[in-house]
Amino acid sequence: MTTSPDASSEAARSLPPLLSPRDESRLHLAATALHVAQTGADLVPVDPHAPAGALLSQALHLARVASTAVEAAVVAERERGTTWEELATVAGTTKQSAHQRWNQAVKSWSHLGRSAAMGMKEYSASDRAHSLDTSFAHIDPKSRTDAVSAGLDAVRHPHSAGAQEARRARARELHARCQDLERDITRNKEHYIKAPADRLEHLKRAANSTAAADLYEQLALVYDALVIAEPELAVEHRENADQRRSYAAVNRKDTEYRLEDAAKDLPASAPVGWGDEDAPSGLAPSGWAAEDDVPRVLASTDKEA
């Protein structure tokens, strides 16, 4: 169904404060593209009196700004369900290359709440959409006055707002849980014993690694839940879950080594990958747990002995 300009303009004036991630990505791309257009306009007309190198400097700046529009387009494509395979085909590259090139932009978008309101939260979605409509109208006076907002789902399908907000609320809850667990991991690192010197320190290090493994496994489960809450970014969330599980496995193995050394009451064997500097590429250092966990491991070890 096609929405008339008058109807869509009215709908745009009553948008919810925060739009769906897909609509937010559309506003983000529109704003970035307009910035590219405005930056390109600075090169026109060409200044015959510009100092040496000034024209190239402006063109290079335009290229950098244009690269942000490419990233914004990738984000918008991922939000609408475009796969990495499809993006790679359009870019004339492999899926792996496309993923390596643009995955960080998608992750950054996710970490910032999947919203184009970054740094301008005092403005409502209606304000932002209207501002983009106005800016585009200056560039193309012949276009409809609501050219940007008319393409938003919130305008085209206004009754979907409630469901979209429910999804956002669930995703916010899960992202907040991720942040809590990451803070716990950071705090546990403060108790990390890099080179245990005696039996008690081996046991503390074992408790340390055990707690870290537990935290990483909890974090992996939250990312599993985000796969369902944010299906558009399922690939990214699965990668995060797999990575955290690999961290947990490293810490479980370190626990085994520390308990073996504690049983022998020998200096640490320091297997490769357990220390901060020696951690293999892509793996976290061994675990970081509070000393409160030591009695649990001590009791477990004494029982086995």
Side-chain angles (χ1 to χ4, degrees), residues 206-228:
N208 189 289
S209 296
T210 297
D214 291 344
L215 287 168
Y216 279 125
E217 287 173 354
Q218 290 177 53
L219 194 51
L221 290 173
V222 177
Y223 279 117
D224 287 341
L226 278 167
V227 168
I228 299 172

Side-chain angles (χ1 to χ4, degrees), residues 88-153:
T89 298
V90 172
T93 187
T94 64
K95 173 187 173 183
Q96 181 179 7
S97 295
H99 188 266
Q100 290 176 343
R101 183 177 179 184
W102 294 310
N103 187 47
Q104 188 54 52
V106 177
K107 284 187 174 181
S108 296
W109 169 258
S110 177
H111 291 160
L112 291 171
R114 302 168 77 194
S115 169
M118 299 171 288
M120 47 189 295
K121 293 183 178 180
E122 66 273 19
Y123 297 103
S124 68
S126 295
D127 292 334
R128 290 183 281 126
H130 177 69
S131 176
L132 292 171
D133 284 335
T134 302
S135 295
F136 184 69
H138 286 308
I139 294 175
D140 184 4
K142 295 181 180 179
S143 68
R144 54 190 291 173
T145 58
D146 60 346
V148 176
S149 57
L152 300 176
D153 290 342

Side-chain angles (χ1 to χ4, degrees), residues 37-237:
Q38 292 159 358
T39 303
D42 291 339
L43 278 167
V44 183
V46 177
D47 183 1
H49 305 295
L55 302 180
L56 176 59
S57 177
Q58 285 182 289
L60 291 173
H61 176 59
L62 174 60
R64 287 191 293 270
V65 174
S67 71
T68 65
V70 173
E71 293 179 348
V74 169
V75 167
E77 290 284 5
R78 291 293 293 135
E79 287 289 12
R80 68 198 293 238
T82 306
T83 67
W84 284 108
E85 290 90 343
E86 291 169 325
L87 293 176
T89 298
V90 172
T93 187
T94 64
K95 173 187 173 183
Q96 181 179 7
S97 295
H99 188 266
Q100 290 176 343
R101 183 177 179 184
W102 294 310
N103 187 47
Q104 188 54 52
V106 177
K107 284 187 174 181
S108 296
W109 169 258
S110 177
H111 291 160
L112 291 171
R114 302 168 77 194
S115 169
M118 299 171 288
M120 47 189 295
K121 293 183 178 180
E122 66 273 19
Y123 297 103
S124 68
S126 295
D127 292 334
R128 290 183 281 126
H130 177 69
S131 176
L132 292 171
D133 284 335
T134 302
S135 295
F136 184 69
H138 286 308
I139 294 175
D140 184 4
K142 295 181 180 179
S143 68
R144 54 190 291 173
T145 58
D146 60 346
V148 176
S149 57
L152 300 176
D153 290 342
V155 172
R156 296 163 59 236
H157 312 292
H159 299 299
S160 66
Q164 290 292 348
E165 178 52 33
R167 285 186 58 196
R168 268 199 176 276
R170 174 58 175 160
R172 281 196 297 269
E173 176 185 321
L174 292 171
H175 280 292
R177 179 59 178 152
C178 283
Q179 292 174 358
D180 289 342
L181 288 169
E182 291 287 5
R183 280 193 292 268
D184 288 343
I185 290 170
T186 300
R187 282 195 293 266
N188 286 339
K189 186 176 181 180
E190 298 172 2
H191 300 276
Y192 173 64
I193 300 174
K194 185 172 182 180
D198 55 36
R199 182 172 184 270
L200 180 58
E201 287 193 350
H202 285 306
L203 292 172
K204 287 183 177 181
R205 167 74 171 262
N208 189 289
S209 296
T210 297
D214 291 344
L215 287 168
Y216 279 125
E217 287 173 354
Q218 290 177 53
L219 194 51
L221 290 173
V222 177
Y223 279 117
D224 287 341
L226 278 167
V227 168
I228 299 172
E230 297 181 331
E232 300 85 355
L233 302 182
V235 172
E236 289 76 14
H237 292 320

Side-chain angles (χ1 to χ4, degrees), residues 237-275:
H237 292 320
R238 286 194 186 97
E239 287 177 351
N240 284 328
D242 291 343
Q243 185 183 60
R244 270 54 180 192
R245 288 192 172 96
S246 72
Y247 292 170
V250 169
N251 283 282
R252 296 289 183 208
K253 181 59 67 175
D254 188 55
T255 296
E256 294 177 14
Y257 276 99
R258 299 310 152 191
L259 292 178
E260 289 174 5
D261 284 336
K264 299 173 185 176
D265 197 20
L266 296 175
S269 57
V272 175
W274 291 171

